[in-house]
Amino acid sequence: MANIIVTIDGYSSCGKSTLAKKLAARLHYKYIDSGAMYRAITLYFLRNRVDWNVAEEVLDALKNIQLEFVVNPEHKRSEIFLNGENVEYVIRDLVVAEKVSEVAAVKEVREFAVAAQQQLGAGKGIVMDGRDIGTTVFPEAELKIFLVADPAVRVARRFKELHEKNPVVTLEEVKHNLEMRDYIDSNREISPLRKAEDALTLDNTDLSPEETLNKACDMVHAALKRG
Ligand code: DC
């Protein structure tokens, strides 16, 4: 099977990473979670008290950040490492989620992350999810999926996920965080969240993860046929 680039963009918590992971496994492609990169950078900034409103501080800090995706042999999925430390789980914390959209709106941060993402996709055979993957990172991708889901369903899904790890989290907090991130992600100056003109919309409000995957696989087969 030919190697293509599949991009999956959309709002927070609409199931992008669930779909991207399953699709990559089905196709034997590499999976890259671009949001994890922005989250790991945010974690570094928070830990090292980097003021992301000051360009020089950001540029200095980025020089000390090394991000790597390593496949975990247990479940065969890639996990993100920040300067050699596995941060795959700690970056999902609400403390990081509260700041990541602000950090991801910083020009220098985006340039750093986009360059790294383009390098990771150089050999194709990749599924990457995020907000600007089909518009900015890989505008020439063979298949672009824009995943959507009803906002109430997204809040409920995210709440379930976070609540399992941290029972103190409230539905209201999760709702507020999603609304704030949607707003910042779609209104920032650089690479705001947009559906690429040639992206295909996939609404998974009433679909199970398996049904969503099957629909995405149909899209991949159609893209491969188009050549
Ligand atoms: O997909 P996620 O929720 O893990 O992403 C975390 C944040 O990173 C999200 O609020 C917006 C930002 N992001 C981005 O700006 N561009 C991307 N390609 C991926 C994520």
Side-chain angles (χ1 to χ4, degrees):
M1 189 173 65
N3 273 350
I4 61 169
I5 295 182
V6 181
T7 67
I8 303 178
D9 287 306
Y11 292 97
S12 296
S13 300
C14 60
K16 296 184 301 295
S17 64
T18 304
L19 171 61
K21 273 177 209 162
K22 286 176 184 287
L23 187 60
R26 174 84 62 97
L27 300 171
H28 303 289
Y29 277 14
K30 192 155 64 166
Y31 162 59
I32 296 294
D33 171 1
S34 71
M37 301 169 88
Y38 292 101
R39 285 172 181 266
I41 295 168
T42 303
L43 178 68
Y44 181 93
F45 285 4
L46 290 171
R47 281 178 174 174
N48 294 281
R49 298 179 200 286
V50 176
D51 181 350
W52 51 83
N53 297 306
V54 182
E56 299 84 71
E57 273 198 43
V58 170
L59 285 170
D60 276 347
L62 289 172
K63 283 184 202 141
N64 296 318
I65 294 181
Q66 214 206 334
L67 299 177
E68 250 180 309
F69 286 92
V70 179
V71 176
N72 183 323
E74 238 175 74
H75 49 63
K76 311 260 185 318
R77 286 194 295 269
S78 62
E79 295 181 332
I80 191 160
F81 283 64
L82 165 64
N83 295 336
E85 174 193 353
N86 185 336
V87 293
E88 180 66 30
Y89 301 98
V90 65
I91 57 167
R92 311 287 160 196
D93 211 273
L94 206 51
V95 180
V96 173
E98 266 168 8
K99 297 294 173 200
V100 63
S101 284
E102 266 182 53
V103 171
V106 174
K107 179 171 155 274
E108 292 76 13
V109 170
R110 294 212 76 81
E111 285 169 359
F112 174 88
V114 168
Q117 289 152 9
Q118 287 172 335
Q119 228 174 2
L120 287 162
K124 299 203 177 189
I126 189 169
V127 180
M128 191 179 288
D129 74 319
R131 305 293 187 290
D132 62 338
I133 310 304
T135 51
T136 303
V137 182
F138 298 122
E140 307 299 331
E142 289 84 353
L143 174 61
K144 301 177 185 178
I145 299 175
F146 195 75
L147 196 61
V148 297
D150 182 88
V153 170
R154 291 164 48 215
V155 171
R157 285 178 188 162
R158 188 78 185 132
F159 174 69
K160 184 170 175 282
E161 195 181 298
L162 283 174
H163 193 76
E164 275 165 12
K165 286 187 227 154
N166 178 7
V168 180
V169 167
T170 66
L171 190 72
E172 207 38 53
E173 274 177 320
V174 173
K175 184 168 179 280
H176 175 259
N177 180 255
L178 280 195
E179 284 171 352
M180 178 198 71
R181 288 206 284 145
D182 285 354
Y183 181 82
I184 301 179
D185 294 344
S186 14
N187 289 285
R188 67 176 174 234
E189 230 171 273
I190 314 159
S191 306
L193 168 60
R194 293 266 182 281
K195 175 178 179 281
E197 269 180 29
D198 50 350
L200 304 175
T201 300
L202 175 48
D203 185 340
N204 72 4
T205 304
D206 299 313
L207 300 180
S208 68
E210 206 52 34
E211 289 168 330
T212 311
L213 172 65
N214 288 336
K215 289 210 182 268
C217 282
D218 292 345
M219 290 175 174
V220 169
H221 291 131
L224 285 166
K225 257 199 206 155
R226 279 198 303 272

